[in-house]
Amino acid sequence: MSGVLGATGAVAEDNGVEFKPGNLLVSRSVYDNNPANVVVGMPLPPNCVAPNCVTATTDGSYPNIWNNESVDASFGITAKIVLDQLKPSGELVNSLEVPNSSDRGVPPTKDQVVTSFSSKSEIALNLSTDGRVVTFMGYLAPVNALDVSNSNTPAVVDPTNPVPGTDYRVVAAVDQHGRFSFTKTNAYSGNNGRAAILNDKDGANVIYTAGNAGNGGNPQPNGIIVGAGAQILTAEHKALVAQDPGLPTPVGSFSISQLALKADKVGKDTNFRGLTIFNKVVYTTKGSGSNGINTVYFIDTTGFDTTGKPLACPNGVGLPGATASLPSAPIFYDATKLQTNGVTPYNMCILKGFPTTLAKTSTSFPFGVWFADAKTLYVTDEGDGTTTFDPVSGKYTAAAAQTAAGLQKWVFDSSLGTWKLAYVLQAGLDLGVPYKVKGYPTGQNPKTGLPWSPASDGLRNIMGRVNRDGTATIWAITSTVSGNTDTGADPNQLVMITDNLAATSLSAGERFTAIQTARFGEVLRGVSFTPGTDLDHLADDHDRHDDDRQQHADAH
């Protein structure tokens, strides 16, 4: 295993940016809109080998560049990451750019991280278990590199992957003073790492990550299977250039065969996206792809029964055990069974009450997860991505008609021992209704015949806060539909809503408000509280600050 944090050798210089506890941190990707980034007629993917070569149809100008995805299914371009500190109301405090190759004095040998601009599931933000740092994932690559999000990792090369390049995936961490730490990993070869959480409480120093692997054919190499899903890393005390990570180290594994269903493509049941920790249990979600089950999962650490099945879910569905603890080591898997069964033994469960329908027929697309308390769970659903548009009403009708997309509130029924869906919050999201972004095209994309203007389709990453008045305030990043060939490149929004925690039926007065909209050439990805935030006292601090502001207003 390899990992991040704690060592001066891997910490970047102080950037002069201070984060105030209790504020929001939002990750934003910024494309430089240089037409020369792609030349019409150039081979794609870069350095491709026949028969995997196509030619670019559009130059690097935004947003037309994404029309190249119509010929290159792996098309993407890396861009810098910016972290915005916002007040909870959405007012911008300051911004911090993550070190990247476009910075002066950042050569290839210096610590740096980028994201794939249009990869909608990347750069989720998560506070560490003690609140000291915020972590996220990206790539060790320069800005404006093509097809990196589907490249192999250096130690896990799939010869059937049409993208021949190799790039490490990287976990980044930022502290309250804007100082960065980085680690690289060989996990998620052929695809992308999406989220990371550092467990740095009570002397622990491990990172849990979620993502997907594989961009080639079947059978997948062992390293692809091992490098998918939920991974665990430990601390590294070196700069990135000096790190030499080994093979991926899985910490969680699931197969639909646990539900007595016929196994499908090995390694794709764990195409994970969302990630959170609650009561010493790691939770994750799956909401995309045609394999596996789109639902909410948890890692069971309470052990196995005599048949080798997880104690918490011998039939694949269950609840965390009372003695559960956070994982501290990877799965000791049977390498001889990788090609037939994947990573075994299976130690993950579907959270009881959540969908068990196969992804190929699912209408559920869960993404972010936030526990308000032990009996209240909020899950975002990003929508199905259908771009059906009605020119008469001016709406994306399929998006507007969705009933599950948005913010789902789940409550735990103690008498039945299961989670139940209480209601879905959608008001104010204006699902399917296009909105304008300054400088962004308002006509039709000739490649798709649909309007460029994006519309909300649902929600992705999420963060929340419980207030002393019995409500919860939740912030989330929107997903979109549009005429863009890759809707992941649409300028999207940060929205907020306050919900009555005790409510089990939908209130007509609760509505989302957009507090930040990505500008031309930008996308929003993750949301968290700032590093240094004490989640245990967050509500008290918030209420006290509100009282101070009111007293100040009264005095004037």
Side-chain angles (χ1 to χ4, degrees):
M1 291 190 293
S2 62
V4 320
L5 297 179
T8 56
V11 178
E13 295 179 359
D14 192 326
N15 293 279
V17 172
E18 292 289 327
F19 295 120
K20 181 180 179 181
N23 277 342
L24 297 180
L25 195 67
V26 174
S27 58
R28 174 168 52 96
S29 182
V30 181
Y31 178 57
D32 67 4
N33 193 27
N34 183 352
N37 289 336
V38 178
V39 177
V40 175
M42 68 181 288
L44 293 173
N47 302 311
C48 60
V49 178
N52 296 320
C53 296
V54 296
T55 56
T57 60
T58 313
D59 68 15
S61 59
Y62 178 85
N64 299 284
I65 180 177
W66 310 112
N67 286 333
N68 287 300
E69 191 169 298
S70 63
V71 292
D72 176 12
S74 302
F75 186 79
I77 189 166
T78 55
K80 65 182 180 181
I81 303 166
V82 177
L83 303 177
D84 292 328
Q85 179 177 199
L86 308 176
K87 293 182 179 179
S89 60
E91 181 183 346
L92 179 65
V93 177
N94 53 29
S95 298
L96 176 62
E97 189 171 311
V98 180
N100 62 83
S101 64
S102 69
D103 291 342
R104 182 178 301 175
V106 180
T109 55
K110 192 169 182 179
D111 288 353
Q112 56 193 284
V113 176
V114 292
T115 185
S116 180
F117 182 84
S118 63
S119 294
K120 60 189 180 183
S121 54
E122 293 184 1
I123 51 177
L125 302 179
N126 287 288
L127 269 174
S128 62
T129 51
D130 79 345
R132 185 171 59 91
V133 300
V134 167
T135 47
F136 54 96
M137 291 199 73
Y139 306 90
L140 181 54
V143 168
N144 294 329
L146 299 177
D147 293 10
V148 168
S149 62
N150 283 122
S151 66
N152 295 308
T153 55
V156 182
V157 176
D158 180 355
T160 68
N161 186 350
V163 180
T166 58
D167 303 277
Y168 286 109
R169 278 52 173 167
V170 176
V171 176
V174 62
D175 69 11
Q176 188 175 352
H177 307 292
R179 296 174 300 196
F180 289 97
S181 300
F182 303 102
T183 190
K184 58 188 179 186
T185 174
N186 280 299
Y188 309 122
S189 181
N191 222 288
N192 54 350
R194 293 160 173 171
I197 301 178
L198 172 70
N199 176 21
D200 53 354
K201 206 165 189 176
D202 301 325
N205 196 26
V206 296
I207 302 164
Y208 312 113
T209 65
N212 189 22
N215 191 45
N218 258 335
Q220 299 180 112
N222 284 355
I224 299 292
I225 298 169
V226 172
Q231 299 281 316
I232 187 170
L233 312 175
T234 56
E236 173 63 69
H237 300 284
K238 303 173 184 176
L240 282 173
V241 69
Q243 294 178 30
D244 185 22
L247 292 174
T249 45
V251 71
S253 182
F254 181 86
S255 169
I256 60 172
S257 63
Q258 291 173 243
L259 277 69
L261 297 169
K262 183 181 179 181
D264 50 13
K265 190 173 182 179
V266 175
K268 287 298 184 180
D269 287 1
T270 54
N271 175 5
F272 295 143
R273 304 194 296 182
L275 184 67
T276 196
I277 292 174
F278 181 74
N279 278 351
K280 298 183 178 181
V281 177
V282 176
Y283 294 84
T284 187
T285 62
K286 180 186 179 298
S288 64
S290 58
N291 294 279
I293 296 170
N294 292 349
T295 195
V296 176
Y297 301 84
F298 67 91
I299 298 176
D300 178 29
T301 58
T302 58
F304 303 91
D305 63 18
T306 56
T307 65
K309 297 178 180 178
L311 288 174
C313 60
N315 297 313
V317 177
L319 300 169
T323 61
S325 60
L326 287 172
S328 58
I331 298 173
F332 187 72
Y333 59 86
D334 186 343
T336 65
K337 296 181 178 180
L338 286 173
Q339 289 296 324
T340 53
N341 300 326
V343 174
T344 54
Y346 307 126
N347 66 339
M348 296 188 73
C349 314
I350 293 175
L351 189 59
K352 190 174 182 180
F354 281 82
T356 56
T357 305
L358 288 174
K360 62 186 67 175
T361 59
S362 179
T363 57
S364 179
F365 307 94
F367 204 108
V369 181
W370 177 66
F371 283 86
D373 54 41
K375 294 186 176 182
T376 314
L377 171 58
Y378 292 90
V379 178
T380 58
D381 187 299
E382 72 166 339
D384 62 13
T386 302
T387 56
T388 303
F389 183 77
D390 175 25
V392 176
S393 65
K395 293 182 180 181
Y396 291 90
T397 51
Q402 294 177 108
T403 58
L407 183 61
Q408 300 176 356
K409 182 179 185 178
W410 292 75
V411 295
F412 187 70
D413 187 326
S414 301
S415 62
L416 297 178
T418 188
W419 287 91
K420 290 183 175 180
L421 178 62
Y423 50 85
V424 182
L425 291 159
Q426 294 182 329
L429 288 178
D430 294 331
L431 297 179
V433 180
Y435 55 87
K436 295 181 179 180
V437 176
K438 184 178 180 180
Y440 202 69
T442 55
Q444 286 187 334
N445 179 359
K447 185 66 69 172
T448 63
L450 295 170
W452 280 106
S453 295
S456 294
D457 191 41
L459 299 173
R460 293 179 185 143
N461 286 307
I462 182 177
M463 173 53 70
R465 177 191 68 207
V466 175
N467 306 315
R468 284 196 300 180
D469 63 0
T471 64
T473 301
I474 300 109
W475 295 265
I477 305 294
T478 63
S479 61
T480 59
V481 286
S482 74
N484 199 330
T485 306
D486 188 339
T487 58
D490 290 336
N492 55 340
Q493 297 178 317
L494 170 68
V495 297
M496 66 179 292
I497 194 170
T498 297
D499 182 48
N500 180 1
L501 265 182
T504 55
S505 59
L506 185 62
S507 169
E510 296 182 356
R511 295 181 60 83
F512 285 96
T513 301
I515 60 174
Q516 185 185 22
T517 298
R519 295 171 295 188
F520 178 88
E522 298 181 352
V523 287
L524 307 181
R525 290 292 180 246
V527 58
S528 170
F529 288 112
T530 46
T533 299
D534 182 352
L535 293 179
D536 293 334
H537 299 92
L538 184 60
D540 292 339
D541 291 342
H542 163 69
D543 292 334
R544 185 172 64 251
H545 293 157
D546 278 353
D547 292 342
D548 291 343
R549 284 193 293 270
Q550 186 59 52
Q551 290 172 6
H552 179 79
D554 292 343
H556 290 78

